Amino acid sequence: MPTPPTILIFDSGLGGLTVLREIVRARPDAHYVYVADDAFFPYGHHTEDEIIARVVPLVGELIEAHAPDLVVIACNTASTLVMSHLRDAYRLPFVGTVPAIKPACISSRTRRVSVLGTRGTVKREYTRKLISDFAQGCEVTLVGSGELASLAEAALSGQRVRDEDIAAELAPCFVGDGANDPARTDTVVLACTHYPLLLERLTRLAPWPVDWIDPAPAIARRVADLLGPAGSESDEAGAEMIFTSKRPHALTDALTPFFGGRVPA
Ligand code: DGL
């Protein structure tokens, strides 16, 4: 039987699990190494130079240690900065996660789209360029959230997170004169991989229904294309979870579904 490919998935914390979940569905045969750089979380609160100086050498060390066939940077805050640096430094395929502005603007009917990301992601030149290249006449509102990634981490870890705190981060995405305005926002781009962890609550707390755009399925398709045809699901294809803080964690039950039922070592 051919050796299963190793896929390394990197995020500042637990948000990349929403990308991992889709990749595991597309490639159940692969071996997964999920790395949460929780020692440096949240990336949204760091400067661009700090993130580049942190991520590029750290990913190099992880490649050295785990010899992956492909690396996914499952973090918009990092991907909008580091992809070209990583590709220059290391010879293997990288897949990034950047705001899904193009598909959102194609599908919006009211032509009003919001991009909900970290403060870092919405400030990036990269994000501004996606808007100027792909907005196609849509009005795009950039909403930088200071807290939503941390609230998502807290919720996944079983802590109580108040609806009011989530609703406050969400409110600026909803532009228009209430539910009867035909030109109100109808599409919100989830431009941080943490936010789909809260999707049910975002949907419930939204002032009116919108389409939420999560790029994870498209990222999974890209990974599957780059790796080529899948082998059959293999017993050897395990999963590892690494926290850079080396803090002990008791999240196994919450994490297992993201790994397709595997218990990460
Ligand atoms: N999950 C990360 C993203 O997609 C960001 C969270 C953070 O601020 O660290 O942008």
Side-chain angles (χ1 to χ4, degrees):
M1 198 184 286
T3 324
T6 294
I7 303 176
L8 192 142
I9 302 195
F10 180 92
D11 182 35
S12 58
L14 303 175
L17 292 170
T18 64
V19 178
L20 169 81
R21 173 172 61 193
E22 295 298 329
I23 299 174
V24 169
R25 281 187 190 134
R27 287 302 301 250
D29 60 310
H31 174 81
Y32 289 93
V33 181
Y34 184 94
V35 181
D37 186 16
D38 63 332
F40 209 63
F41 179 86
Y43 277 16
H45 293 191
H46 289 285
T47 66
E48 299 196 350
D49 288 346
E50 284 168 352
I51 292 172
I52 294 168
R54 169 78 180 177
V55 174
V56 178
L58 177 55
V59 169
E61 286 164 30
L62 292 164
I63 292 170
E64 210 34 44
H66 300 280
D69 296 284
L70 183 146
V71 175
V72 180
I73 304 299
C75 174
N76 294 260
T77 314
S79 295
T80 47
L81 283 176
V82 301
M83 298 311 292
S84 58
H85 297 275
L86 292 174
R87 289 185 177 117
D88 287 347
Y90 314 112
R91 297 272 143 253
L92 75 166
F94 287 95
V95 176
T97 315
V98 298
I101 288 164
K102 185 177 180 184
C105 291
I106 289 172
S107 66
S108 169
R109 295 162 304 277
T110 63
R111 322 292 298 143
R112 218 174 229 178
V113 169
S114 291
V115 177
L116 179 62
T118 64
R119 289 192 182 137
T121 296
V122 302
K123 269 198 288 194
R124 300 270 186 270
E125 190 47 46
Y126 191 102
T127 305
R128 310 273 160 158
K129 175 98 169 61
L130 287 176
I131 294 172
S132 65
D133 289 350
F134 300 118
Q136 307 169 73
C138 287
E139 181 188 300
V140 178
T141 303
L142 286 168
V143 179
S145 167
E147 298 308 321
L148 208 47
S150 299
L151 295 175
E153 294 254 329
L156 185 62
S157 308
Q159 293 163 39
R160 191 173 163 263
V161 174
R162 298 182 327 152
D163 279 353
E164 304 89 279
D165 293 337
I166 296 176
E169 301 293 303
L170 201 55
C173 292
F174 288 80
V175 182
D177 198 12
N180 296 324
D181 178 357
R184 67 189 182 181
T185 305
D186 71 350
T187 305
V188 176
V189 178
L190 297 173
C192 168
T193 54
H194 280 73
Y195 302 166
L197 293 172
L198 293 171
L199 186 58
E200 270 172 40
R201 293 181 75 181
L202 299 180
T203 305
R204 178 164 57 75
L205 295 168
W208 57 76
V210 290
D211 291 336
W212 305 94
I213 308 292
D214 174 5
I219 294 161
R221 284 195 295 277
R222 175 80 186 129
V223 169
D225 284 352
L226 285 169
L227 286 176
S232 55
E233 197 169 346
S234 140
D235 289 344
E236 294 102 310
E240 296 166 62
M241 176 100 193
I242 294 164
F243 290 90
T244 55
S245 67
K246 303 199 166 65
R247 250 195 315 256
H249 74 93
L251 286 172
T252 307
D253 288 351
L255 298 181
T256 305
F258 294 97
F259 285 90
R262 287 173 247 199
V263 179

